[in-house]
């Protein structure tokens, strides 16, 4: 892992950019505003200034694309985890002798799943 380079070299400037960017994401979330604010602060502090001045819109586009990919991946992982938890709840219901209707009601309530989706999962795993 790279923590810092020599003062003012490209590595230290990049590390500074990422730190500033992380601070802005904490303030504004993963938004175009956080990217633009990080770029503004970096240019003001002479961090990657020439590069950011010449390619600001490209940097914004790339960072926003990365956000979209990261958010999509996070949603996919969360969805898979949720489906695994639902599957486990259904299997537990069967194992412990709960009725199909009680198990259906439980997964609808526990996971905030609409009836049709819960019923589909019940048919798949019951």
């Amino acid at each position: 892992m790279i923590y810092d380079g020599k003062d003012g070299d490209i590595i230290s400037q990049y590390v500074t950019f990422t730190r500033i960017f992380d601070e802005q994401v904490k303030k504004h979330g993963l938004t175009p505003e956080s990217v633009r604010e990080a770029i503004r602060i970096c240019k003001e502090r002479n961090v990657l200034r020439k590069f950011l001045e010449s390619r600001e819109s490209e940097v914004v586009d790339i960072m926003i694309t990365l956000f979209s990919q990261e958010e999509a991946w996070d949603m996919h992982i969360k969805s898979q985890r949720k489906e695994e938890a639902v599957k486990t709840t259904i299997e537990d219901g069967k194992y412990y002798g709960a009725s199909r209707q009680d198990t259906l009601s439980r997964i609808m309530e526990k996971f905030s799943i609409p009836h049709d989706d819960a019923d589909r999962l019940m048919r798949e795993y019951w």
Side-chain angles (χ1 to χ4, degrees), residues 5-53:
K6 295 178 184 174
D7 193 32
D9 72 1
I10 191 71
I11 293 173
S12 68
Q13 288 185 54
Y14 179 74
V15 169
T16 301
F17 172 81
T18 58
R19 287 180 182 155
I20 291 169
F21 176 71
D22 288 345
E23 290 170 7
Q24 295 309 307
V25 169
K26 287 178 185 173
K27 287 182 183 178
H28 306 289
L30 292 174
T31 63
E33 180 183 4
S34 62
V35 177
R36 288 187 183 94
E37 187 62 13
I39 290 171
R40 184 194 65 74
I41 292 168
C42 286
K43 288 191 319 189
E44 186 177 273
R45 295 181 186 173
N46 204 26
V47 174
L48 301 174
R49 183 184 197 117
K50 288 181 182 179
F51 178 79
L52 293 172
E53 286 177 343

Side-chain angles (χ1 to χ4, degrees), residues 40-105:
R40 184 194 65 74
I41 292 168
C42 286
K43 288 191 319 189
E44 186 177 273
R45 295 181 186 173
N46 204 26
V47 174
L48 301 174
R49 183 184 197 117
K50 288 181 182 179
F51 178 79
L52 293 172
E53 286 177 343
S54 66
R55 299 186 177 192
E56 182 170 344
S57 65
E58 185 179 339
V59 172
V60 171
D61 289 345
I62 289 169
M63 297 301 284
I64 290 172
T65 300
L66 290 174
F67 292 158
S68 300
Q69 290 172 348
E70 185 177 328
E71 288 172 339
W73 181 250
D74 286 348
M75 286 176 19
H76 173 72
I77 296 298
K78 287 177 185 175
S79 174
Q80 283 194 315
R81 287 182 182 156
K82 185 175 183 177
E83 188 160 338
E84 284 299 314
V86 168
K87 180 180 176 183
T88 299
T89 301
I90 292 169
E91 289 171 350
D92 287 350
K94 284 173 47 177
Y95 181 81
Y96 291 108
S99 71
R100 187 181 189 287
Q101 184 59 43
D102 287 345
T103 304
L104 177 70
S105 296

